[in-house]
Amino acid sequence: MSVIEEERVRGAVFKDINAEDEDQQPTVIESLCMNCYENGSTRLLLTKIPFFKEIIISSFSCPHCNWTNTEIQSAGRIQEQGVLYTLQVKTKEDMNREVVKSDSASTRIPQLDFEIPAFTQKGSLSTIEGLLDRAVVGLEQDQPIRKVCVLFVHLSEFHKFDINCIIDDPSGNSFIENPFAPQKDTALTVTHYKRTPEHNAALGIEEEENDEKPGNDLDAMRNEVLVFNTNCPECNAPANTNMKLVQIPHFKEVIIMATNCDSCGHRTNEVKSGGATEELGTRITLHLTDPSDMSRDLLKSETCSVLIPELEFELGMAALGGKFTTLEGLLKDIKDLIVSKNPFMCGDSSTADRAEKLELFGQKIDKIIAGEMDVHIILDDPAGNSYLQNVYAPDPDPEMKIEKYTRTFEQNEDLGLNDMKTEGYAEK
């Protein structure tokens, strides 16, 4: 069977969640109950949900002892970066936040010196309270032998504590709900990071070794479009990615990568900075005064955050990756990310208040695109590698303000600059 045929079969197996699809029925398998060691039944459902692509949902039930268990396992691809969620749990509402935790994710509560290591629990779709309840149940087993009375009491009454719940997932396939979306969640910090060789080894990813010495072929790259094979991020079918080194006027060189999928029609582009991190960060503020502003070219690096103060909205760095598009294209991507592709906008996770709130946000974005709202768009890039077109160039733009600022320690930490040593090296 060819690769394309295999991907078509995969697309037929993993279908979108649809309550009206009578053909999408779970597979029932007779299996052993680990509680009473009688035979029970396991139901398996292969499906797709937003953000997490293909997943396998399993549910076990035993008619003899009534023991049940549910698990969720990612069947999609591992993300390019790992993700670290830090949630300050202060209220009962924080305990009700929905969580998708993959089996490669670790969970820590520093205040209790408690940790659930990676690969010790199966993936689950639950809440913060359910996640910790599951840990309590695990600690209850063989309690006299484990001698964890004090920790058990603390976990049993965790709702009374002001704690931090940290989920670290090198695969990037875990998620904690933001109940205030599209506004910024002040209690939740999301950090994307590059995996270490140890992370890749634990995930079963083999790093490619490149023994070729880099050559001085920048001139050839400027005049040539490089093509390499990859997989579509939507349907995982084989596709081609084009890469080109481009000089942006009045800015710098960037690397643009575009992927087109012939199987599902999905198109995506990503931008990487072709230069080094600037000495100063850049904050670009544009006052939208005319619908023609939507056609301004825009380069958003993966380290750039987007703010719309009038909507109390902030999009963190790495949320949309690097993009070379127009201002209209960026706003449409923000609307798709917050409204259309939000996994908590459909199914049992959806509530009327949340759906109405996000729908209102989408309508406001449409008004901004149509030029019916007076707002400011702010691009804040600590690395200084983002750009917004000045239509009055080389003269100053009266509606655009560009500020250079010194990065904070935390911003340098996010960029990995604090531990980077660039002085004192000598060639041997």
Side-chain angles (χ1 to χ4, degrees):
M1 182 182 293
S2 66
V3 176
I4 297 179
E5 290 175 341
E6 290 180 0
E7 296 300 338
R8 288 176 178 173
V9 172
R10 183 182 181 90
V13 172
F14 291 91
K15 298 181 180 179
D16 295 326
I17 294 179
N18 187 353
E20 298 179 356
D21 188 358
E22 297 181 355
D23 296 332
Q24 190 178 24
Q25 297 295 330
T27 302
V28 181
I29 303 174
E30 185 178 1
S31 52
L32 179 67
C33 175
M34 301 307 296
N35 187 50
C36 68
Y37 300 102
E38 297 288 343
N39 284 339
S41 59
T42 298
R43 295 176 177 268
L44 296 176
L45 179 63
L46 282 62
T47 185
K48 293 190 292 185
I49 61 175
F51 288 155
F52 298 100
K53 306 300 183 285
E54 298 93 348
I55 64 169
I56 301 175
I57 302 175
S58 64
S59 174
F60 175 82
S61 61
C62 177
H64 303 283
C65 66
N66 296 323
W67 187 70
T68 61
N69 182 39
T70 59
E71 295 178 359
I72 180 174
Q73 182 178 356
S74 174
R77 60 191 300 156
I78 296 175
Q79 304 302 314
E80 293 185 1
Q81 291 182 315
V83 63
L84 176 69
Y85 290 92
T86 303
L87 175 64
Q88 297 179 357
V89 181
K90 297 182 178 180
T91 65
K92 182 63 178 177
E93 287 73 20
D94 289 332
M95 303 302 301
N96 293 330
R97 291 178 185 239
E98 298 189 20
V99 179
V100 175
K101 176 184 173 296
S102 72
D103 52 3
S104 61
S106 62
T107 305
R108 291 187 290 117
I109 304 177
Q111 290 82 353
L112 303 181
D113 195 20
F114 172 75
E115 179 177 2
I116 304 175
F119 301 106
T120 57
Q121 289 184 349
K122 295 294 184 180
S124 61
L125 175 60
S126 182
T127 62
I128 294 292
E129 182 174 5
L131 194 67
L132 298 180
D133 275 339
R134 189 177 181 184
V136 170
V137 172
L139 291 174
E140 275 187 302
Q141 298 177 359
D142 298 330
Q143 172 62 26
I145 300 176
R146 293 176 181 251
K147 297 181 180 180
V148 288
C149 300
V150 177
L151 177 60
F152 175 72
V153 171
H154 284 178
L155 283 177
S156 299
E157 301 181 355
F158 49 73
H159 60 279
K160 299 180 182 178
F161 291 83
D162 184 2
I163 62 175
N164 289 338
C165 183
I166 302 175
I167 295 181
D168 187 354
D169 186 1
S171 74
N173 286 325
S174 293
F175 188 82
I176 295 182
E177 174 195 8
N178 173 12
F180 307 102
Q183 277 76 36
K184 181 180 179 181
D185 190 344
T186 57
L188 180 64
T189 303
V190 184
T191 305
H192 297 268
Y193 61 88
K194 184 178 180 181
R195 283 186 293 270
T196 64
E198 291 75 14
H199 287 149
N200 288 331
L203 295 172
I205 301 176
E206 181 180 358
E207 295 189 38
E208 297 182 359
E209 296 184 0
N210 187 8
D211 297 331
E212 298 181 0
K213 297 182 179 180
N216 188 13
D217 56 353
L218 288 178
D219 292 335
M221 290 183 62
R222 292 187 181 97
N223 300 320
E224 182 182 359
V225 178
L226 303 180
V227 182
F228 54 91
N229 297 326
T230 183
N231 292 86
C232 174
E234 286 294 326
C235 68
N236 207 34
N240 291 329
T241 294
N242 300 329
M243 184 175 70
K244 180 75 164 63
L245 187 64
V246 178
Q247 173 68 47
I248 297 181
H250 309 289
F251 191 54
K252 60 174 67 175
E253 284 186 330
V254 297
I255 300 173
I256 299 179
M257 295 182 290
T259 302
N260 297 327
C261 179
D262 296 332
S263 298
C264 67
H266 178 73
R267 302 175 62 185
T268 183
N269 68 78
E270 187 174 358
V271 176
K272 300 288 186 181
S273 173
T277 301
E278 298 293 327
E279 294 185 3
L280 299 175
T282 303
R283 184 181 296 107
I284 305 173
T285 304
L286 176 65
H287 182 204
L288 301 182
T289 59
D290 190 87
S292 61
D293 289 330
M294 293 295 108
S295 60
R296 291 179 184 244
D297 289 333
L298 179 146
L299 170 64
K300 175 195 172 299
S301 76
E302 57 187 3
T303 59
C304 177
S305 58
V306 182
L307 298 89
I308 308 177
E310 289 79 3
L311 301 186
E312 298 181 357
F313 172 77
E314 179 177 352
L315 182 72
M317 63 172 63
L320 285 173
K323 282 187 173 294
F324 184 51
T325 179
T326 62
L327 189 55
E328 180 180 2
L330 177 65
L331 292 174
K332 287 183 177 179
D333 288 339
I334 290 175
K335 179 183 176 182
D336 289 341
L337 178 67
I338 302 299
V339 181
S340 303
K341 296 182 179 180
N342 194 322
F344 301 109
M345 275 288 289
C346 57
D348 296 337
S349 299
S350 178
T351 62
D353 293 341
R354 181 185 301 160
E356 183 180 355
K357 184 179 179 180
L358 294 181
E359 187 66 28
L360 179 60
F361 175 80
Q363 294 174 2
K364 290 181 179 179
I365 292 294
D366 291 336
K367 289 183 178 180
I368 294 176
I369 295 176
E372 299 175 359
M373 285 190 67
D374 185 11
V375 299
H376 294 76
I377 303 293
I378 302 176
L379 302 179
D380 191 348
D381 188 357
N385 289 325
S386 294
Y387 162 84
L388 185 59
Q389 182 186 11
N390 175 8
V391 294
Y392 297 91
D395 298 326
D397 191 329
E399 303 298 336
M400 186 165 67
K401 180 181 178 182
I402 301 179
E403 304 172 83
K404 298 290 185 178
Y405 62 88
T406 302
R407 288 184 291 269
T408 64
F409 179 87
E410 290 75 14
Q411 288 174 326
N412 283 329
E413 187 71 18
D414 291 338
L415 295 175
L417 299 179
N418 290 333
D419 299 326
M420 186 179 296
K421 184 179 179 182
T422 58
E423 298 178 355
Y425 286 96
E427 295 183 0
K428 296 182 180 180

